Amino acid sequence: MQSSPGLAQAHSAAATGRAVRPSAADLAPGRFVDSDHPAIVAFARAHADEEDTRLRAVALYYAVRDEIRYDPYRIDLSEDGLKASRSLTLGYGFCITKAALLAAVARAAGIPARLGFADVKNHLTSPRLRATMQTDVFVFHGYTEILLDGRWVKATPAFNRSLCEKAGILPLEFDGREDSVFHPFDASGRRHMEYVRTRGSFSDVPRAEILAAFAEAYPASAIWTQAEGDFETEARGGD
């Protein structure tokens, strides 16, 4: 995947020994990354109890990855639907809201975080979801970028472990040092995820840009409506 200009600058700074400095927005509550919401603050306190910043970020990653179920059938692109606190309250979300949630709880724990976006081609998406979307390309796939040890590190909390086990795909691990991005192949060696376009980094969810991209990519699709489906059941070969 190509790096955005911001990430290229970050890697360049790391190479020359200059630490990246976060912007004020990387730590502040946003409209969608609502890190000051009481439920967000409580979640961060419950899971980020390590003194070491990197270990706090790692703990928050696994909590969001596995406690919030990935559900691509209940996508709500309204302002309320895209808020991190909404995904936490519901107990499920899709890649964008789970990435926003991880950014929110990181900020609540005092760790700078922002959002990154890319278009990805999922070679193993379920037949039902492919039929719903009428494509296997997911535009504006969301992940989190966390500032650790002076550089931005990617973290992708989208797929919970139970989903990965049922689908036969490798769960994404995160150690706070290396980027955690989708695997190109699954556990059986089948082609899985392919990054096809970088959309850049944002301090908050770029809702207007996402709506425009979805309207262009899925003009006849019900991807942003309450489509019916159980993705975990489909992942293990069920109807």
Side-chain angles (χ1 to χ4, degrees):
M1 182 178 69
Q2 294 180 332
S3 297
S4 67
L7 287 176
Q9 292 168 5
H11 290 306
S12 176
T16 58
R18 292 184 291 106
V20 176
R21 294 184 180 276
S23 70
D26 297 328
L27 274 166
R31 175 179 294 181
F32 303 104
V33 182
D34 52 347
S35 55
D36 57 348
H37 189 282
I40 297 287
V41 174
F43 188 93
R45 287 176 176 168
H47 294 283
D49 56 357
E50 299 280 353
E51 291 187 9
D52 182 80
T53 300
R54 183 180 63 82
L55 294 180
R56 292 205 309 276
V58 170
L60 290 171
Y61 169 82
Y62 284 107
V64 171
R65 189 195 74 176
D66 294 331
E67 292 189 20
I68 308 300
R69 188 166 64 94
Y70 176 76
D71 189 341
Y73 285 117
R74 290 185 284 184
I75 292 178
D76 182 354
L77 298 182
S78 69
E79 291 200 12
D80 284 341
L82 286 172
K83 288 183 178 180
S85 58
R86 179 67 171 162
S87 182
L88 179 58
T89 300
L90 292 172
Y92 64 81
F94 68 116
C95 61
I96 293 175
T97 54
K98 291 191 68 174
L101 176 55
L102 179 54
V105 296
R107 291 180 189 178
I111 306 171
R114 64 188 186 186
L115 302 174
F117 294 92
D119 296 352
V120 297
K121 184 179 181 69
N122 185 349
H123 294 273
L124 296 178
T125 191
S126 74
R128 181 178 294 177
L129 186 56
R130 188 193 302 267
T132 299
M133 296 174 58
Q134 300 184 23
T135 180
D136 58 2
V137 174
F138 293 72
V139 301
F140 263 94
H141 154 67
Y143 51 89
T144 314
E145 296 176 348
I146 305 174
L147 189 60
L148 296 168
D149 298 324
R151 70 182 187 90
W152 291 107
V153 185
K154 299 186 187 77
T156 307
F159 295 163
N160 47 291
R161 175 173 287 277
S162 62
L163 169 62
C164 293
E165 291 172 348
K166 292 171 184 175
I169 60 179
L170 300 169
L172 291 179
E173 309 299 344
F174 179 65
D175 63 5
R177 296 188 177 95
E178 302 295 329
D179 287 340
S180 174
V181 296
F182 282 137
H183 298 296
F185 300 96
D186 74 352
S188 300
R190 297 175 299 174
R191 196 171 188 186
H192 185 202
M193 287 290 190
E194 177 185 357
Y195 288 84
V196 296
R197 177 180 177 182
T198 298
R199 295 279 185 171
S201 304
F202 300 81
S203 61
D204 207 351
V205 177
R207 181 172 178 265
E209 289 93 329
I210 290 170
L211 290 176
F214 273 38
E216 179 181 358
Y218 316 118
S221 171
I223 187 63
W224 52 78
T225 67
Q226 300 295 302
E228 294 295 329
D230 183 331
F231 196 63
E232 288 208 16
T233 298
E234 293 171 21
R236 63 170 181 261
D239 295 329

